[in-house]
Amino acid sequence: MDAGRLDAHMWSEALRLYEWVVTFVGVAPREHDEWWLDVGAIMRRETRDPRGWESIDPDEGEDERLEDPLFPWVEVPSTSEGVERCRRLVGEIPRSSVRSLLVLLGAGTSRLDLSKSLSWDELLPEMERRADVILSRFPDGTRFYTNLGWNSDHPDFYKQPYRTHSPFSRSDWDAGLIAVNDDEVAVFWNFLSV
């Protein structure tokens, strides 16, 4: 899909990938050379999508948020110490692996092998279509990071022999994707209680 053709309606429809799971989605303008500060602003909900498009905040209005404005995050990068801590928790992944990670975040499972999920073969084509629409927003040159561990140069998040994760939240398991380019920073994060 051509990023120039992507519009608010198509973006919103693609975000239905996360309709039945607890997934946070936020995009903000990139305002700092140290993009982790932009990530922190997204996590603190201090920014809005620069295009005015839909975001997802599954904890908006929840009691936990009223008690702790950062919920569900443990810490957000807002200081140089916080930036360094967060930087150590993620690794960069190639663009070729991003679609499978976006689908994983929509699957709502920490399952190591998504292909063994119920109705996987029927669900996958539509999930991949939506993930491709989401990915089309981010032009070539965008860098992608995740808190999940992997064993190859081009991880396939549908199926791989071993996966670790570095938690960013109070959830039992969380998995995320950060996209960074010269204009925008995006955070996609799934929270799962197992």
Side-chain angles (χ1 to χ4, degrees):
M1 167 173 291
D2 178 9
R5 291 185 24 227
L6 183 65
D7 62 24
H9 173 75
M10 294 166 69
W11 174 258
S12 183
E13 194 280 329
L15 291 185
R16 290 182 55 212
L17 178 61
Y18 307 115
E19 187 171 32
W20 303 110
V21 294
V22 181
T23 299
F24 175 92
V25 177
V27 182
R30 180 162 178 190
E31 296 183 345
H32 300 90
D33 288 335
E34 178 50 78
W35 54 263
W36 276 105
L37 298 175
D38 297 311
V39 169
I42 293 169
M43 291 174 165
R44 289 189 304 275
R45 298 156 196 91
E46 296 173 349
T47 63
R48 295 286 176 246
D49 188 300
R51 303 179 195 195
W53 295 358
E54 182 179 350
S55 297
I56 301 173
D57 184 354
D59 296 306
E60 187 173 12
E62 297 293 326
D63 290 341
E64 295 90 350
R65 174 72 55 73
L66 299 175
E67 295 170 14
D68 179 0
L70 291 181
F71 182 85
W73 311 105
V74 172
E75 175 187 351
V76 299
S78 57
T79 65
S80 57
E81 294 82 15
V83 166
E84 286 308 311
R85 178 192 160 293
C86 291
R87 192 185 323 270
R88 288 190 302 269
L89 296 177
V90 302
E92 187 170 0
I93 60 171
R95 185 179 192 91
S96 61
S97 297
V98 173
R99 176 168 67 166
S100 66
L101 181 53
L102 286 167
V103 170
L104 172 71
L105 299 179
T109 180
S110 61
R111 185 185 288 264
L112 292 181
D113 185 347
L114 284 179
S115 66
K116 294 181 180 171
S117 298
L118 189 63
S119 302
W120 178 248
D121 292 334
E122 294 87 39
L123 297 172
L124 183 60
E126 183 61 16
M127 294 177 83
E128 286 185 333
R129 184 194 65 76
R130 287 187 167 132
D132 286 340
V133 171
I134 291 168
L135 184 57
S136 75
R137 178 170 182 166
F138 305 102
D140 289 340
T142 299
R143 299 180 75 173
F144 301 96
Y145 301 86
T146 184
N147 66 323
L148 296 180
W150 60 90
N151 289 333
S152 70
D153 291 340
H154 297 279
D156 177 353
F157 291 101
Y158 298 153
K159 183 177 184 175
Q160 63 182 129
Y162 180 74
R163 186 179 303 138
T164 62
H165 88 288
S166 299
F168 272 69
S169 75
R170 294 171 175 86
S171 296
D172 295 333
W173 185 83
D174 63 74
L177 171 70
I178 299 169
V180 180
N181 59 49
D182 291 342
D183 300 315
E184 295 181 328
V185 176
V187 174
F188 299 82
W189 222 272
N190 179 276
F191 307 98
L192 183 67
S193 294
V194 291

PDB file of all heavy atoms in Angstrom, residues 56-81:
ATOM      1  N   ILE A  56      -5.440   4.375  20.466  1.00  0.00           N
ATOM      2  CA  ILE A  56      -6.135   3.451  21.357  1.00  0.00           C
ATOM      3  C   ILE A  56      -5.495   3.533  22.734  1.00  0.00           C
ATOM      4  O   ILE A  56      -4.280   3.369  22.875  1.00  0.00           O
ATOM      5  CB  ILE A  56      -6.050   1.995  20.857  1.00  0.00           C
ATOM      6  CG1 ILE A  56      -6.656   1.848  19.466  1.00  0.00           C
ATOM      7  CG2 ILE A  56      -6.737   1.050  21.851  1.00  0.00           C
ATOM      8  CD1 ILE A  56      -6.442   0.463  18.853  1.00  0.00           C
ATOM      9  N   ASP A  57      -6.309   3.779  23.740  1.00  0.00           N
ATOM     10  CA  ASP A  57      -5.858   3.775  25.131  1.00  0.00           C
ATOM     11  C   ASP A  57      -6.836   2.918  25.922  1.00  0.00           C
ATOM     12  O   ASP A  57      -7.876   3.408  26.370  1.00  0.00           O
ATOM     13  CB  ASP A  57      -5.795   5.194  25.684  1.00  0.00           C
ATOM     14  CG  ASP A  57      -5.226   5.240  27.092  1.00  0.00           C
ATOM     15  OD1 ASP A  57      -4.979   4.169  27.686  1.00  0.00           O
ATOM     16  OD2 ASP A  57      -5.029   6.357  27.596  1.00  0.00           O
ATOM     17  N   PRO A  58      -6.544   1.628  26.101  1.00  0.00           N
ATOM     18  CA  PRO A  58      -7.506   0.727  26.733  1.00  0.00           C
ATOM     19  C   PRO A  58      -7.764   1.015  28.206  1.00  0.00           C
ATOM     20  O   PRO A  58      -8.759   0.529  28.755  1.00  0.00           O
ATOM     21  CB  PRO A  58      -6.869  -0.657  26.547  1.00  0.00           C
ATOM     22  CG  PRO A  58      -5.417  -0.397  26.417  1.00  0.00           C
ATOM     23  CD  PRO A  58      -5.312   0.942  25.725  1.00  0.00           C
ATOM     24  N   ASP A  59      -6.909   1.811  28.843  1.00  0.00           N
ATOM     25  CA  ASP A  59      -7.072   2.091  30.266  1.00  0.00           C
ATOM     26  C   ASP A  59      -7.677   3.462  30.555  1.00  0.00           C
ATOM     27  O   ASP A  59      -7.807   3.850  31.717  1.00  0.00           O
ATOM     28  CB  ASP A  59      -5.722   1.958  30.978  1.00  0.00           C
ATOM     29  CG  ASP A  59      -5.195   0.551  30.915  1.00  0.00           C
ATOM     30  OD1 ASP A  59      -5.926  -0.366  31.321  1.00  0.00           O
ATOM     31  OD2 ASP A  59      -4.061   0.356  30.433  1.00  0.00           O
ATOM     32  N   GLU A  60      -8.061   4.161  29.527  1.00  0.00           N
ATOM     33  CA  GLU A  60      -8.658   5.489  29.713  1.00  0.00           C
ATOM     34  C   GLU A  60      -9.914   5.378  30.568  1.00  0.00           C
ATOM     35  O   GLU A  60     -10.801   4.569  30.303  1.00  0.00           O
ATOM     36  CB  GLU A  60      -9.003   6.101  28.357  1.00  0.00           C
ATOM     37  CG  GLU A  60      -9.460   7.535  28.450  1.00  0.00           C
ATOM     38  CD  GLU A  60      -9.630   8.155  27.086  1.00  0.00           C
ATOM     39  OE1 GLU A  60      -9.617   7.437  26.075  1.00  0.00           O
ATOM     40  OE2 GLU A  60      -9.785   9.384  27.040  1.00  0.00           O
ATOM     41  N   GLY A  61      -9.964   6.162  31.637  1.00  0.00           N
ATOM     42  CA  GLY A  61     -11.123   6.179  32.522  1.00  0.00           C
ATOM     43  C   GLY A  61     -11.173   5.050  33.538  1.00  0.00           C
ATOM     44  O   GLY A  61     -12.092   4.995  34.351  1.00  0.00           O
ATOM     45  N   GLU A  62     -10.210   4.137  33.516  1.00  0.00           N
ATOM     46  CA  GLU A  62     -10.191   3.021  34.460  1.00  0.00           C
ATOM     47  C   GLU A  62      -9.713   3.481  35.839  1.00  0.00           C
ATOM     48  O   GLU A  62      -8.950   4.438  35.956  1.00  0.00           O
ATOM     49  CB  GLU A  62      -9.292   1.891  33.943  1.00  0.00           C
ATOM     50  CG  GLU A  62      -9.762   1.264  32.656  1.00  0.00           C
ATOM     51  CD  GLU A  62     -11.071   0.500  32.818  1.00  0.00           C
ATOM     52  OE1 GLU A  62     -11.302  -0.096  33.879  1.00  0.00           O
ATOM     53  OE2 GLU A  62     -11.865   0.507  31.854  1.00  0.00           O
ATOM     54  N   ASP A  63     -10.148   2.768  36.877  1.00  0.00           N
ATOM     55  CA  ASP A  63      -9.777   3.125  38.257  1.00  0.00           C
ATOM     56  C   ASP A  63      -8.265   3.159  38.452  1.00  0.00           C
ATOM     57  O   ASP A  63      -7.742   4.033  39.144  1.00  0.00           O
ATOM     58  CB  ASP A  63     -10.404   2.141  39.251  1.00  0.00           C
ATOM     59  CG  ASP A  63     -11.907   2.302  39.357  1.00  0.00           C
ATOM     60  OD1 ASP A  63     -12.424   3.378  38.962  1.00  0.00           O
ATOM     61  OD2 ASP A  63     -12.572   1.364  39.830  1.00  0.00           O
ATOM     62  N   GLU A  64      -7.564   2.180  37.868  1.00  0.00           N
ATOM     63  CA  GLU A  64      -6.108   2.133  38.026  1.00  0.00           C
ATOM     64  C   GLU A  64      -5.443   3.397  37.493  1.00  0.00           C
ATOM     65  O   GLU A  64      -4.482   3.882  38.070  1.00  0.00           O
ATOM     66  CB  GLU A  64      -5.521   0.910  37.293  1.00  0.00           C
ATOM     67  CG  GLU A  64      -5.939  -0.418  37.855  1.00  0.00           C
ATOM     68  CD  GLU A  64      -7.208  -0.980  37.229  1.00  0.00           C
ATOM     69  OE1 GLU A  64      -7.885  -0.236  36.468  1.00  0.00           O
ATOM     70  OE2 GLU A  64      -7.522  -2.137  37.486  1.00  0.00           O
ATOM     71  N   ARG A  65      -5.980   3.941  36.417  1.00  0.00           N
ATOM     72  CA  ARG A  65      -5.421   5.161  35.832  1.00  0.00           C
ATOM     73  C   ARG A  65      -5.683   6.354  36.748  1.00  0.00           C
ATOM     74  O   ARG A  65      -4.850   7.243  36.879  1.00  0.00           O
ATOM     75  CB  ARG A  65      -6.026   5.404  34.458  1.00  0.00           C
ATOM     76  CG  ARG A  65      -5.646   6.703  33.783  1.00  0.00           C
ATOM     77  CD  ARG A  65      -4.223   6.753  33.275  1.00  0.00           C
ATOM     78  NE  ARG A  65      -3.895   5.660  32.389  1.00  0.00           N
ATOM     79  CZ  ARG A  65      -4.331   5.540  31.146  1.00  0.00           C
ATOM     80  NH1 ARG A  65      -5.067   6.463  30.614  1.00  0.00           N
ATOM     81  NH2 ARG A  65      -3.993   4.496  30.432  1.00  0.00           N
ATOM     82  N   LEU A  66      -6.851   6.369  37.390  1.00  0.00           N
ATOM     83  CA  LEU A  66      -7.158   7.468  38.301  1.00  0.00           C
ATOM     84  C   LEU A  66      -6.216   7.463  39.490  1.00  0.00           C
ATOM     85  O   LEU A  66      -5.834   8.513  39.996  1.00  0.00           O
ATOM     86  CB  LEU A  66      -8.616   7.372  38.759  1.00  0.00           C
ATOM     87  CG  LEU A  66      -9.655   7.464  37.629  1.00  0.00           C
ATOM     88  CD1 LEU A  66     -11.057   7.238  38.170  1.00  0.00           C
ATOM     89  CD2 LEU A  66      -9.560   8.806  36.914  1.00  0.00           C
ATOM     90  N   GLU A  67      -5.820   6.268  39.937  1.00  0.00           N
ATOM     91  CA  GLU A  67      -4.890   6.146  41.058  1.00  0.00           C
ATOM     92  C   GLU A  67      -3.457   6.424  40.647  1.00  0.00           C
ATOM     93  O   GLU A  67      -2.672   6.945  41.431  1.00  0.00           O
ATOM     94  CB  GLU A  67      -4.985   4.742  41.661  1.00  0.00           C
ATOM     95  CG  GLU A  67      -6.327   4.459  42.296  1.00  0.00           C
ATOM     96  CD  GLU A  67      -6.503   2.993  42.668  1.00  0.00           C
ATOM     97  OE1 GLU A  67      -5.500   2.241  42.676  1.00  0.00           O
ATOM     98  OE2 GLU A  67      -7.645   2.606  42.948  1.00  0.00           O
ATOM     99  N   ASP A  68      -3.090   6.051  39.426  1.00  0.00           N
ATOM    100  CA  ASP A  68      -1.728   6.222  38.928  1.00  0.00           C
ATOM    101  C   ASP A  68      -1.795   6.648  37.467  1.00  0.00           C
ATOM    102  O   ASP A  68      -2.083   5.830  36.596  1.00  0.00           O
ATOM    103  CB  ASP A  68      -0.942   4.911  39.059  1.00  0.00           C
ATOM    104  CG  ASP A  68       0.476   5.027  38.530  1.00  0.00           C
ATOM    105  OD1 ASP A  68       0.892   6.112  38.061  1.00  0.00           O
ATOM    106  OD2 ASP A  68       1.194   4.002  38.566  1.00  0.00           O
ATOM    107  N   PRO A  69      -1.537   7.919  37.170  1.00  0.00           N
ATOM    108  CA  PRO A  69      -1.651   8.413  35.792  1.00  0.00           C
ATOM    109  C   PRO A  69      -0.755   7.684  34.781  1.00  0.00           C
ATOM    110  O   PRO A  69      -1.023   7.739  33.591  1.00  0.00           O
ATOM    111  CB  PRO A  69      -1.248   9.888  35.898  1.00  0.00           C
ATOM    112  CG  PRO A  69      -1.374  10.235  37.328  1.00  0.00           C
ATOM    113  CD  PRO A  69      -1.178   8.972  38.102  1.00  0.00           C
ATOM    114  N   LEU A  70       0.299   6.996  35.234  1.00  0.00           N
ATOM    115  CA  LEU A  70       1.177   6.269  34.321  1.00  0.00           C
ATOM    116  C   LEU A  70       0.687   4.851  34.032  1.00  0.00           C
ATOM    117  O   LEU A  70       1.223   4.185  33.152  1.00  0.00           O
ATOM    118  CB  LEU A  70       2.599   6.186  34.883  1.00  0.00           C
ATOM    119  CG  LEU A  70       3.377   7.490  34.927  1.00  0.00           C
ATOM    120  CD1 LEU A  70       4.768   7.248  35.492  1.00  0.00           C
ATOM    121  CD2 LEU A  70       3.450   8.148  33.565  1.00  0.00           C
ATOM    122  N   PHE A  71      -0.309   4.371  34.770  1.00  0.00           N
ATOM    123  CA  PHE A  71      -0.767   2.991  34.613  1.00  0.00           C
ATOM    124  C   PHE A  71      -1.058   2.704  33.148  1.00  0.00           C
ATOM    125  O   PHE A  71      -1.665   3.516  32.464  1.00  0.00           O
ATOM    126  CB  PHE A  71      -2.039   2.761  35.447  1.00  0.00           C
ATOM    127  CG  PHE A  71      -2.533   1.356  35.378  1.00  0.00           C
ATOM    128  CD1 PHE A  71      -2.017   0.396  36.213  1.00  0.00           C
ATOM    129  CD2 PHE A  71      -3.490   0.979  34.444  1.00  0.00           C
ATOM    130  CE1 PHE A  71      -2.450  -0.919  36.133  1.00  0.00           C
ATOM    131  CE2 PHE A  71      -3.925  -0.330  34.351  1.00  0.00           C
ATOM    132  CZ  PHE A  71      -3.400  -1.285  35.199  1.00  0.00           C
ATOM    133  N   PRO A  72      -0.614   1.589  32.604  1.00  0.00           N
ATOM    134  CA  PRO A  72      -0.006   0.414  33.235  1.00  0.00           C
ATOM    135  C   PRO A  72       1.517   0.411  33.224  1.00  0.00           C
ATOM    136  O   PRO A  72       2.137  -0.562  33.633  1.00  0.00           O
ATOM    137  CB  PRO A  72      -0.532  -0.727  32.371  1.00  0.00           C
ATOM    138  CG  PRO A  72      -0.546  -0.141  30.999  1.00  0.00           C
ATOM    139  CD  PRO A  72      -0.947   1.309  31.195  1.00  0.00           C
ATOM    140  N   TRP A  73       2.127   1.484  32.725  1.00  0.00           N
ATOM    141  CA  TRP A  73       3.590   1.527  32.602  1.00  0.00           C
ATOM    142  C   TRP A  73       4.248   1.548  33.978  1.00  0.00           C
ATOM    143  O   TRP A  73       3.762   2.202  34.898  1.00  0.00           O
ATOM    144  CB  TRP A  73       4.019   2.760  31.814  1.00  0.00           C
ATOM    145  CG  TRP A  73       3.280   2.940  30.538  1.00  0.00           C
ATOM    146  CD1 TRP A  73       2.286   3.849  30.274  1.00  0.00           C
ATOM    147  CD2 TRP A  73       3.438   2.178  29.327  1.00  0.00           C
ATOM    148  NE1 TRP A  73       1.831   3.697  28.989  1.00  0.00           N
ATOM    149  CE2 TRP A  73       2.517   2.684  28.389  1.00  0.00           C
ATOM    150  CE3 TRP A  73       4.268   1.132  28.956  1.00  0.00           C
ATOM    151  CZ2 TRP A  73       2.411   2.177  27.099  1.00  0.00           C
ATOM    152  CZ3 TRP A  73       4.159   0.621  27.677  1.00  0.00           C
ATOM    153  CH2 TRP A  73       3.246   1.144  26.766  1.00  0.00           C
ATOM    154  N   VAL A  74       5.396   0.884  34.111  1.00  0.00           N
ATOM    155  CA  VAL A  74       6.176   0.924  35.338  1.00  0.00           C
ATOM    156  C   VAL A  74       6.959   2.228  35.377  1.00  0.00           C
ATOM    157  O   VAL A  74       6.993   2.923  36.377  1.00  0.00           O
ATOM    158  CB  VAL A  74       7.139  -0.290  35.426  1.00  0.00           C
ATOM    159  CG1 VAL A  74       8.077  -0.145  36.603  1.00  0.00           C
ATOM    160  CG2 VAL A  74       6.354  -1.578  35.516  1.00  0.00           C
ATOM    161  N   GLU A  75       7.581   2.547  34.273  1.00  0.00           N
ATOM    162  CA  GLU A  75       8.382   3.759  34.160  1.00  0.00           C
ATOM    163  C   GLU A  75       8.330   4.219  32.711  1.00  0.00           C
ATOM    164  O   GLU A  75       8.290   3.398  31.802  1.00  0.00           O
ATOM    165  CB  GLU A  75       9.830   3.472  34.549  1.00  0.00           C
ATOM    166  CG  GLU A  75      10.756   4.637  34.340  1.00  0.00           C
ATOM    167  CD  GLU A  75      12.224   4.282  34.574  1.00  0.00           C
ATOM    168  OE1 GLU A  75      12.518   3.177  35.053  1.00  0.00           O
ATOM    169  OE2 GLU A  75      13.060   5.129  34.244  1.00  0.00           O
ATOM    170  N   VAL A  76       8.309   5.504  32.516  1.00  0.00           N
ATOM    171  CA  VAL A  76       8.368   6.027  31.152  1.00  0.00           C
ATOM    172  C   VAL A  76       9.628   6.868  31.019  1.00  0.00           C
ATOM    173  O   VAL A  76      10.059   7.498  31.981  1.00  0.00           O
ATOM    174  CB  VAL A  76       7.109   6.852  30.790  1.00  0.00           C
ATOM    175  CG1 VAL A  76       5.864   5.991  30.877  1.00  0.00           C
ATOM    176  CG2 VAL A  76       6.965   8.067  31.661  1.00  0.00           C
ATOM    177  N   PRO A  77      10.243   6.857  29.854  1.00  0.00           N
ATOM    178  CA  PRO A  77      11.491   7.596  29.685  1.00  0.00           C
ATOM    179  C   PRO A  77      11.259   9.105  29.657  1.00  0.00           C
ATOM    180  O   PRO A  77      10.666   9.633  28.724  1.00  0.00           O
ATOM    181  CB  PRO A  77      12.029   7.081  28.346  1.00  0.00           C
ATOM    182  CG  PRO A  77      10.832   6.555  27.623  1.00  0.00           C
ATOM    183  CD  PRO A  77       9.864   6.110  28.657  1.00  0.00           C
ATOM    184  N   SER A  78      11.705   9.776  30.714  1.00  0.00           N
ATOM    185  CA  SER A  78      11.585  11.235  30.756  1.00  0.00           C
ATOM    186  C   SER A  78      12.873  11.890  31.247  1.00  0.00           C
ATOM    187  O   SER A  78      13.015  13.104  31.167  1.00  0.00           O
ATOM    188  CB  SER A  78      10.407  11.658  31.646  1.00  0.00           C
ATOM    189  OG  SER A  78      10.566  11.133  32.939  1.00  0.00           O
ATOM    190  N   THR A  79      13.784  11.079  31.752  1.00  0.00           N
ATOM    191  CA  THR A  79      15.089  11.563  32.202  1.00  0.00           C
ATOM    192  C   THR A  79      16.164  10.778  31.472  1.00  0.00           C
ATOM    193  O   THR A  79      15.884   9.745  30.855  1.00  0.00           O
ATOM    194  CB  THR A  79      15.262  11.329  33.716  1.00  0.00           C
ATOM    195  OG1 THR A  79      15.270   9.911  33.955  1.00  0.00           O
ATOM    196  CG2 THR A  79      14.144  11.987  34.521  1.00  0.00           C
ATOM    197  N   SER A  80      17.406  11.231  31.562  1.00  0.00           N
ATOM    198  CA  SER A  80      18.482  10.500  30.888  1.00  0.00           C
ATOM    199  C   SER A  80      18.634   9.099  31.479  1.00  0.00           C
ATOM    200  O   SER A  80      18.911   8.143  30.743  1.00  0.00           O
ATOM    201  CB  SER A  80      19.798  11.274  30.962  1.00  0.00           C
ATOM    202  OG  SER A  80      20.142  11.536  32.308  1.00  0.00           O
ATOM    203  N   GLU A  81      18.397   8.940  32.783  1.00  0.00           N
ATOM    204  CA  GLU A  81      18.467   7.616  33.402  1.00  0.00           C
ATOM    205  C   GLU A  81      17.340   6.718  32.875  1.00  0.00           C
ATOM    206  O   GLU A  81      17.550   5.540  32.582  1.00  0.00           O
ATOM    207  CB  GLU A  81      18.385   7.706  34.929  1.00  0.00           C
ATOM    208  CG  GLU A  81      19.557   8.403  35.577  1.00  0.00           C
ATOM    209  CD  GLU A  81      19.440   9.929  35.553  1.00  0.00           C
ATOM    210  OE1 GLU A  81      18.330  10.466  35.298  1.00  0.00           O
ATOM    211  OE2 GLU A  81      20.477  10.582  35.756  1.00  0.00           O
TER     212      GLU A  81
END
